[in-house]
Amino acid sequence: MRTHSLRNRSALAVAGLLLAGAPAAYTAVADGRPSAAPARGKPYVETTLFFGTARPDGGPAVTDRQFMAFVDKEVTPDFPDGLTVQNGRGQWRDGHGTIEKERSYELILLYPESAATGSDRKIEEIRRAYEKAFAQESVGRVDERAQVDF
């Protein structure tokens, strides 16, 4: 019985040492429940736009050069502080019920929450310009609140 008790104490001592050296992901609050680490950054909106490249009329797909020229002309003037473009592969059901699979671009914009109203108008203009320039049925849009720090 004594051996069993010593083994348990040793295991508890080792566990205590391991826990003491582990970084804490949470901090305790007055009521004893854990809380997340403090928020960093300022309130921003993150908008992701999804641009398809296949043309409904069967014409040639939008090229990298064409897309980046579009970004330079239509996006950069309204969002000069920065943006991110990622290549993607997507699919969606078009207005006729056909599932379209195509190469795509994801454009990510970050802007202060205080500029959301003006940015919304500019983003809608970008969407319409792409639809018109490349005969697209739609440009997808997702908006999310974010805490951003640069």
Side-chain angles (χ1 to χ4, degrees):
M1 189 175 230
R2 184 164 170 82
T3 306
H4 185 64
S5 176
L6 288 175
R7 225 181 274 152
N8 286 343
R9 282 188 201 161
S10 296
L12 288 172
V14 170
L17 289 173
L18 291 174
L19 290 174
Y26 294 94
T27 56
V29 294
D31 66 4
R33 292 182 309 171
S35 69
R40 300 275 184 243
K42 297 179 181 169
Y44 269 62
V45 176
E46 177 180 343
T47 296
T48 303
L49 299 176
F50 299 91
F51 299 88
T53 59
R55 300 196 193 224
D57 63 3
V62 178
T63 66
D64 286 341
R65 180 175 283 194
Q66 289 171 316
F67 184 76
M68 292 313 296
F70 174 83
V71 169
D72 291 344
K73 179 182 176 196
E74 301 290 341
V75 183
T76 301
D78 288 330
F79 295 93
D81 292 338
L83 54 88
T84 299
V85 174
Q86 297 181 26
N87 289 313
R89 299 267 334 147
Q91 75 178 44
W92 73 299
R93 187 182 312 271
D94 69 16
H96 304 295
T98 303
I99 294 182
E100 301 288 342
K101 295 181 181 186
E102 61 189 325
R103 189 173 56 82
S104 61
Y105 297 98
E106 294 178 33
L107 174 70
I108 302 167
L109 301 168
L110 293 169
Y111 46 92
E113 232 177 45
S114 60
T117 301
S119 295
D120 177 69
R121 180 188 49 76
K122 294 172 185 177
I123 291 167
E124 288 306 300
E125 289 172 1
I126 291 165
R127 293 174 74 198
R128 300 295 85 83
Y130 189 81
E131 290 167 3
K132 183 177 179 183
F134 299 107
Q136 296 294 300
E137 191 173 315
S138 177
V139 171
R141 178 179 177 170
V142 176
D143 295 302
E144 296 186 68
R145 293 183 185 271
Q147 289 295 119
V148 177
D149 188 22
F150 294 102

